[in-house]
Amino acid sequence: MRLNLLLEKLNLLLEPSRYKDYAPNGLQVEGRAEVGKIVTGVTASQALIDAAIERGADAILVHHGYFWKGEDACLSGIKRQRISSLLRHDISLLAYHLPLDGHLDLGNNAMLGKRLGLEALGQSGEQGLLWHGDWRETGDAARLNAHISSILGRSALLLGRPDKLVRRVAWCTGGAQGFFADAIALGVDAFITGEASEQNYHMAMESDVAFIAAGHHATERYGIQALGEHLMKHEGIKVEFIDLNNPV
């Protein structure tokens, strides 16, 4: 597939123009014009680039790319090494941040909800990125936390009362701890995201809404996998997902 056609199809699917984001979405580093194999991953780290080179990939497709708002624009240090590796091997880098979080079928929130057995009832908050719905099972916050830990393969952090009965849940993958107040306002019993901040503990205790931090990387593995599977199924292109563990 031609690189420009791949980019066109991804932009049509994910609609990046709908989002006000913190980094450019789409093509970030241009490589060879023909794409026969894509490696996907959560973050365009040096380890992912090295793995893509080893596997003979023509392009890398990620959730976390480069050129974030407010970062130093100079190509030095880690950034120089990463981009140099891509250019030397003529590999393209494509990244979709908020568009991959928010997609209703393939996005991180949609896929995490399916994995955890959450019935999505709506989206709200900033750019519609805060999802809410019902937990299909019945139990308290401790049981929900154990369920999440089992599904994601890592120990989730529970803040608030372990015996809090949970029916309604709000969630947003990654570093969305700042959405906790919005989740509380929705009247939910628990909020699930990737990371926790110091104030989240006090908010959980005082609001009696459980807060579960299940890992930034762990909650954002599934959207990029779903996107790769979509490309394989509908475009017939080879795609390999590489999960490089990150404890954060």
Side-chain angles (χ1 to χ4, degrees):
M1 177 182 288
R2 301 287 292 180
L3 175 62
N4 59 354
L5 180 58
L6 173 63
L7 183 62
E8 180 182 318
K9 288 180 177 294
L10 286 169
N11 286 340
L12 184 64
L13 177 66
L14 297 174
E15 301 181 285
S17 62
R18 293 180 54 233
Y19 295 87
K20 183 179 179 182
D21 215 334
Y22 317 105
N25 288 296
L27 184 63
Q28 293 190 338
V29 178
E30 184 178 359
R32 59 184 69 98
E34 287 290 336
V35 178
K37 180 172 182 178
I38 300 172
V39 157
T40 62
V42 176
T43 299
S45 63
Q46 187 66 49
L48 184 66
I49 295 170
D50 292 343
I53 293 169
E54 182 181 338
R55 287 160 173 79
D58 303 299
I60 299 172
L61 176 60
V62 297
H63 179 48
H64 300 138
Y66 305 152
F67 312 114
W68 297 96
K69 181 180 179 180
E71 75 173 22
D72 190 342
C74 295
L75 299 183
S76 59
I78 290 173
K79 185 189 290 186
R80 175 194 177 279
Q81 177 60 37
R82 291 175 173 180
I83 293 177
S84 176
S85 296
L86 292 169
L87 294 176
R88 281 200 313 272
H89 293 274
D90 209 15
I91 297 175
S92 297
L93 175 66
L94 300 97
Y96 290 89
H97 185 231
L98 296 185
L100 189 57
D101 285 323
H103 194 275
L104 296 181
D105 297 315
L106 304 174
N108 285 321
N109 285 328
M111 297 310 297
L112 182 66
K114 289 177 183 178
R115 292 263 178 167
L116 299 181
L118 307 176
E119 181 182 359
L121 298 177
Q123 298 82 40
S124 62
E126 182 184 344
Q127 303 188 76
L129 294 172
L130 178 63
W131 287 43
H132 57 91
D134 293 333
W135 183 28
R136 293 193 181 99
E137 299 185 25
T138 302
D140 56 22
R143 182 180 177 191
L144 175 59
N145 192 67
H147 169 68
I148 292 170
S149 299
S150 176
I151 296 296
L152 300 188
R154 56 162 288 150
S155 296
L157 173 66
L158 170 62
L159 305 178
R161 280 199 299 121
D163 61 348
K164 167 73 176 182
L165 183 63
V166 176
R167 293 190 180 92
R168 296 196 62 206
V169 179
W171 69 97
C172 184
T173 65
Q177 60 267 49
F179 285 0
F180 192 24
D182 294 324
I184 293 169
L186 289 172
V188 299
D189 304 304
F191 174 59
I192 305 165
T193 187
E195 300 182 31
S197 295
E198 188 272 345
Q199 66 268 24
N200 296 139
Y201 169 76
H202 304 291
M203 293 174 68
M205 297 302 295
E206 294 169 29
S207 66
D208 198 29
V209 176
F211 180 104
I212 298 175
H216 193 135
H217 174 90
T219 58
E220 296 196 325
R221 289 177 296 193
Y222 306 114
I224 197 68
Q225 290 183 64
L227 180 58
E229 290 166 2
H230 175 90
L231 291 174
M232 284 194 289
K233 179 179 179 180
H234 295 281
E235 308 301 337
I237 193 167
K238 294 179 182 178
V239 181
E240 180 180 356
F241 172 71
I242 299 177
D243 187 14
L244 299 172
N245 184 50
N246 186 329
V248 176

